[in-house]
C-alpha cells in the first residue's frame, strides 16, 4: 500500500491520469505517431515525455511558445507546432495539416 501512496504523491492526480491512460488505455507501440496538446499544462508535458518513450514520433501542440521551447529542450525529438491567434477552435484540423506537411516534406 505504501508503494501506491508514494506513486500518487509523486505524480499527483494529473500525472496518474496520464500514466494510466497511456499504460492501460492507449497502449502505444513503436510504430505509432502521437499528438499532444500542451495547453493542459503538467498533464500535457508528462504525456509528451511518456509517449516519446514508446512512439515513433510525437507532435507537441501549444499556443504558448514558452511551453514548446521548454518541451523541445527537455524532451528530445518532439516536433513542436505553435498555434496562435484565433485558430484555437480549429486546433485539431490545423494539427493534422501540419503533420501532413511534415510527412510530405520527408
Amino acid at each position: 500500500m505504501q508503494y501506491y501512496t508514494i506513486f500518487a504523491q509523486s505524480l499527483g492526480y494529473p500525472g496518474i491520469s496520464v500514466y494510466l491512460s497511456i499504460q492501460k488505455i492507449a497502449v502505444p507501440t513503436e510504430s505509432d505517431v502521437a499528438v499532444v496538446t500542451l495547453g493542459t499544462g503538467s498533464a500535457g508535458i508528462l504525456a509528451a515525455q511518456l509517449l516519446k518513450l514508446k512512439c515513433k514520433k510525437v507532435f507537441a501542440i501549444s499556443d504558448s511558445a514558452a511551453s514548446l521551447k521548454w518541451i523541445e529542450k527537455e524532451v528530445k525529438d518532439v516536433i513542436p507546432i505553435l498555434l496562435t491567434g484565433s485558430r484555437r477552435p480549429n486546433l485539431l484540423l490545423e494539427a493534422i495539416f501540419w503533420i501532413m506537411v511534415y510527412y510530405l516534406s520527408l
Side-chain angles (χ1 to χ4, degrees), residues 42-101:
S42 61
I45 290 172
L46 180 60
Q49 292 172 335
L50 291 175
L51 287 167
K52 187 58 201 147
L53 296 174
K54 295 186 170 253
C55 295
K56 182 169 85 172
K57 291 280 182 203
V58 176
F59 291 89
I61 302 169
S62 179
D63 59 352
S64 166
S67 290
L68 288 176
K69 190 178 210 181
W70 184 89
I71 198 80
E72 198 172 14
K73 184 180 89 174
E74 294 297 323
V75 184
K76 304 298 181 211
D77 300 326
V78 170
I79 301 159
I81 299 174
L82 179 64
L83 299 179
T84 58
S86 61
R87 298 185 249 170
R88 200 169 180 98
N90 299 320
L91 184 68
L92 182 60
L93 292 175
E94 185 155 352
I96 292 169
F97 169 77
W98 284 112
I99 291 167
M100 288 175 25
V101 167

